[in-house]
PDB file of all heavy atoms in Angstrom:
ATOM      1  N   PHE A 532      -4.846  -4.709  49.272  1.00 90.00           N
ATOM      2  CA  PHE A 532      -3.549  -5.246  48.878  1.00 90.00           C
ATOM      3  C   PHE A 532      -2.385  -4.632  49.644  1.00 90.00           C
ATOM      4  O   PHE A 532      -1.268  -5.102  49.551  1.00 90.00           O
ATOM      5  CB  PHE A 532      -3.344  -5.065  47.363  1.00 90.00           C
ATOM      6  CG  PHE A 532      -3.859  -6.220  46.551  1.00 90.00           C
ATOM      7  CD1 PHE A 532      -4.767  -7.126  47.081  1.00 90.00           C
ATOM      8  CD2 PHE A 532      -3.418  -6.417  45.242  1.00 90.00           C
ATOM      9  CE1 PHE A 532      -5.252  -8.193  46.328  1.00 90.00           C
ATOM     10  CE2 PHE A 532      -3.873  -7.489  44.485  1.00 90.00           C
ATOM     11  CZ  PHE A 532      -4.799  -8.371  45.025  1.00 90.00           C
ATOM     12  N   GLU A 533      -2.644  -3.543  50.394  1.00 85.00           N
ATOM     13  CA  GLU A 533      -1.543  -3.010  51.202  1.00 85.00           C
ATOM     14  C   GLU A 533      -1.017  -4.070  52.174  1.00 85.00           C
ATOM     15  O   GLU A 533       0.151  -4.066  52.534  1.00 85.00           O
ATOM     16  CB  GLU A 533      -1.952  -1.718  51.927  1.00 85.00           C
ATOM     17  CG  GLU A 533      -3.095  -1.811  52.909  1.00 85.00           C
ATOM     18  CD  GLU A 533      -4.482  -1.686  52.234  1.00 85.00           C
ATOM     19  OE1 GLU A 533      -4.537  -1.626  50.986  1.00 85.00           O
ATOM     20  OE2 GLU A 533      -5.493  -1.677  52.960  1.00 85.00           O
ATOM     21  N   LYS A 534      -1.889  -5.024  52.518  1.00 87.00           N
ATOM     22  CA  LYS A 534      -1.420  -6.115  53.392  1.00 87.00           C
ATOM     23  C   LYS A 534      -0.384  -6.971  52.678  1.00 87.00           C
ATOM     24  O   LYS A 534       0.551  -7.477  53.280  1.00 87.00           O
ATOM     25  CB  LYS A 534      -2.598  -7.015  53.795  1.00 87.00           C
ATOM     26  CG  LYS A 534      -3.586  -6.353  54.707  1.00 87.00           C
ATOM     27  CD  LYS A 534      -4.684  -7.344  55.100  1.00 87.00           C
ATOM     28  CE  LYS A 534      -5.836  -6.599  55.732  1.00 87.00           C
ATOM     29  NZ  LYS A 534      -7.060  -7.424  55.745  1.00 87.00           N
ATOM     30  N   ILE A 535      -0.598  -7.168  51.380  1.00 93.00           N
ATOM     31  CA  ILE A 535       0.354  -7.962  50.608  1.00 93.00           C
ATOM     32  C   ILE A 535       1.679  -7.210  50.465  1.00 93.00           C
ATOM     33  O   ILE A 535       2.753  -7.768  50.662  1.00 93.00           O
ATOM     34  CB  ILE A 535      -0.228  -8.285  49.210  1.00 93.00           C
ATOM     35  CG1 ILE A 535      -1.510  -9.100  49.380  1.00 93.00           C
ATOM     36  CG2 ILE A 535       0.797  -9.027  48.369  1.00 93.00           C
ATOM     37  CD1 ILE A 535      -2.168  -9.474  48.067  1.00 93.00           C
ATOM     38  N   VAL A 536       1.563  -5.914  50.182  1.00 89.00           N
ATOM     39  CA  VAL A 536       2.787  -5.112  50.042  1.00 89.00           C
ATOM     40  C   VAL A 536       3.572  -5.145  51.349  1.00 89.00           C
ATOM     41  O   VAL A 536       4.789  -5.324  51.367  1.00 89.00           O
ATOM     42  CB  VAL A 536       2.447  -3.661  49.661  1.00 89.00           C
ATOM     43  CG1 VAL A 536       3.682  -2.780  49.722  1.00 89.00           C
ATOM     44  CG2 VAL A 536       1.846  -3.617  48.269  1.00 89.00           C
ATOM     45  N   ASN A 537       2.853  -5.020  52.454  1.00 84.00           N
ATOM     46  CA  ASN A 537       3.501  -5.075  53.760  1.00 84.00           C
ATOM     47  C   ASN A 537       4.324  -6.329  53.948  1.00 84.00           C
ATOM     48  O   ASN A 537       5.411  -6.315  54.491  1.00 84.00           O
ATOM     49  CB  ASN A 537       2.429  -5.053  54.850  1.00 84.00           C
ATOM     50  CG  ASN A 537       2.473  -3.742  55.577  1.00 84.00           C
ATOM     51  OD1 ASN A 537       3.511  -3.085  55.576  1.00 84.00           O
ATOM     52  ND2 ASN A 537       1.354  -3.342  56.154  1.00 84.00           N
ATOM     53  N   ARG A 538       3.756  -7.435  53.487  1.00 88.00           N
ATOM     54  CA  ARG A 538       4.423  -8.725  53.623  1.00 88.00           C
ATOM     55  C   ARG A 538       5.625  -8.823  52.687  1.00 88.00           C
ATOM     56  O   ARG A 538       6.649  -9.396  53.028  1.00 88.00           O
ATOM     57  CB  ARG A 538       3.399  -9.816  53.323  1.00 88.00           C
ATOM     58  CG  ARG A 538       3.745 -11.183  53.859  1.00 88.00           C
ATOM     59  CD  ARG A 538       3.667 -11.261  55.374  1.00 88.00           C
ATOM     60  NE  ARG A 538       2.316 -11.388  55.889  1.00 88.00           N
ATOM     61  CZ  ARG A 538       1.591 -12.494  55.804  1.00 88.00           C
ATOM     62  NH1 ARG A 538       2.054 -13.567  55.231  1.00 88.00           N
ATOM     63  NH2 ARG A 538       0.374 -12.514  56.315  1.00 88.00           N
ATOM     64  N   LEU A 539       5.502  -8.255  51.498  1.00 91.00           N
ATOM     65  CA  LEU A 539       6.547  -8.431  50.478  1.00 91.00           C
ATOM     66  C   LEU A 539       7.700  -7.444  50.605  1.00 91.00           C
ATOM     67  O   LEU A 539       8.812  -7.712  50.189  1.00 91.00           O
ATOM     68  CB  LEU A 539       5.951  -8.261  49.072  1.00 91.00           C
ATOM     69  CG  LEU A 539       5.088  -9.380  48.544  1.00 91.00           C
ATOM     70  CD1 LEU A 539       4.510  -8.987  47.193  1.00 91.00           C
ATOM     71  CD2 LEU A 539       5.901 -10.660  48.395  1.00 91.00           C
ATOM     72  N   GLN A 540       7.417  -6.272  51.133  1.00 84.00           N
ATOM     73  CA  GLN A 540       8.473  -5.260  51.113  1.00 84.00           C
ATOM     74  C   GLN A 540       9.440  -5.468  52.260  1.00 84.00           C
ATOM     75  O   GLN A 540       9.087  -6.013  53.294  1.00 84.00           O
ATOM     76  CB  GLN A 540       7.875  -3.855  51.157  1.00 84.00           C
ATOM     77  CG  GLN A 540       7.654  -3.316  52.554  1.00 84.00           C
ATOM     78  CD  GLN A 540       6.935  -1.977  52.508  1.00 84.00           C
ATOM     79  OE1 GLN A 540       5.902  -1.802  51.900  1.00 84.00           O
ATOM     80  NE2 GLN A 540       7.474  -1.032  53.209  1.00 84.00           N
ATOM     81  N   GLN A 541      10.662  -5.040  52.013  1.00 77.00           N
ATOM     82  CA  GLN A 541      11.629  -5.113  53.086  1.00 77.00           C
ATOM     83  C   GLN A 541      11.213  -4.093  54.113  1.00 77.00           C
ATOM     84  O   GLN A 541      10.859  -2.974  53.776  1.00 77.00           O
ATOM     85  CB  GLN A 541      13.000  -4.740  52.539  1.00 77.00           C
ATOM     86  CG  GLN A 541      13.975  -5.860  52.652  1.00 77.00           C
ATOM     87  CD  GLN A 541      15.316  -5.425  52.118  1.00 77.00           C
ATOM     88  OE1 GLN A 541      15.742  -4.293  52.277  1.00 77.00           O
ATOM     89  NE2 GLN A 541      15.975  -6.350  51.463  1.00 77.00           N
ATOM     90  N   LYS A 542      11.243  -4.478  55.359  1.00 65.00           N
ATOM     91  CA  LYS A 542      10.768  -3.547  56.376  1.00 65.00           C
ATOM     92  C   LYS A 542      11.621  -2.287  56.345  1.00 65.00           C
ATOM     93  O   LYS A 542      12.837  -2.330  56.402  1.00 65.00           O
ATOM     94  CB  LYS A 542      10.836  -4.189  57.770  1.00 65.00           C
ATOM     95  CG  LYS A 542       9.830  -5.310  57.932  1.00 65.00           C
ATOM     96  CD  LYS A 542       8.382  -4.795  57.856  1.00 65.00           C
ATOM     97  CE  LYS A 542       7.395  -5.924  57.674  1.00 65.00           C
ATOM     98  NZ  LYS A 542       7.112  -6.290  56.290  1.00 65.00           N
ATOM     99  N   VAL A 543      10.965  -1.170  56.183  1.00 61.00           N
ATOM    100  CA  VAL A 543      11.673   0.099  56.196  1.00 61.00           C
ATOM    101  C   VAL A 543      11.456   0.684  57.574  1.00 61.00           C
ATOM    102  O   VAL A 543      10.353   0.998  57.948  1.00 61.00           O
ATOM    103  CB  VAL A 543      11.077   1.042  55.141  1.00 61.00           C
ATOM    104  CG1 VAL A 543      11.787   2.371  55.170  1.00 61.00           C
ATOM    105  CG2 VAL A 543      11.173   0.410  53.777  1.00 61.00           C
ATOM    106  N   HIS A 544      12.525   0.766  58.353  1.00 62.00           N
ATOM    107  CA  HIS A 544      12.296   1.323  59.686  1.00 62.00           C
ATOM    108  C   HIS A 544      12.825   2.732  59.719  1.00 62.00           C
ATOM    109  O   HIS A 544      13.887   3.047  59.226  1.00 62.00           O
ATOM    110  CB  HIS A 544      12.955   0.469  60.761  1.00 62.00           C
ATOM    111  CG  HIS A 544      14.310   0.015  60.369  1.00 62.00           C
ATOM    112  ND1 HIS A 544      14.596  -1.283  60.077  1.00 62.00           N
ATOM    113  CD2 HIS A 544      15.428   0.707  60.139  1.00 62.00           C
ATOM    114  CE1 HIS A 544      15.849  -1.370  59.702  1.00 62.00           C
ATOM    115  NE2 HIS A 544      16.382  -0.187  59.726  1.00 62.00           N
ATOM    116  N   GLY A 545      12.054   3.562  60.299  1.00 75.00           N
ATOM    117  CA  GLY A 545      12.519   4.915  60.563  1.00 75.00           C
ATOM    118  C   GLY A 545      12.783   5.769  59.339  1.00 75.00           C
ATOM    119  O   GLY A 545      11.888   6.420  58.847  1.00 75.00           O
ATOM    120  N   THR A 546      14.006   5.671  58.824  1.00 91.00           N
ATOM    121  CA  THR A 546      14.439   6.712  57.917  1.00 91.00           C
ATOM    122  C   THR A 546      14.420   6.279  56.460  1.00 91.00           C
ATOM    123  O   THR A 546      14.947   5.228  56.128  1.00 91.00           O
ATOM    124  CB  THR A 546      15.854   7.138  58.326  1.00 91.00           C
ATOM    125  OG1 THR A 546      15.832   7.419  59.718  1.00 91.00           O
ATOM    126  CG2 THR A 546      16.312   8.356  57.583  1.00 91.00           C
ATOM    127  N   VAL A 547      13.810   7.064  55.604  1.00 92.00           N
ATOM    128  CA  VAL A 547      13.831   6.771  54.167  1.00 92.00           C
ATOM    129  C   VAL A 547      14.117   8.037  53.371  1.00 92.00           C
ATOM    130  O   VAL A 547      13.779   9.139  53.793  1.00 92.00           O
ATOM    131  CB  VAL A 547      12.485   6.196  53.637  1.00 92.00           C
ATOM    132  CG1 VAL A 547      12.191   4.851  54.234  1.00 92.00           C
ATOM    133  CG2 VAL A 547      11.334   7.161  53.875  1.00 92.00           C
TER     134      VAL A 547
END
Side-chain angles (χ1 to χ4, degrees):
F532 271 18
E533 61 275 5
K534 292 182 194 162
I535 299 180
V536 171
N537 250 336
R538 200 70 79 73
L539 286 176
Q540 89 186 52
Q541 242 181 37
K542 291 295 166 271
V543 179
H544 42 250
T546 309
V547 295

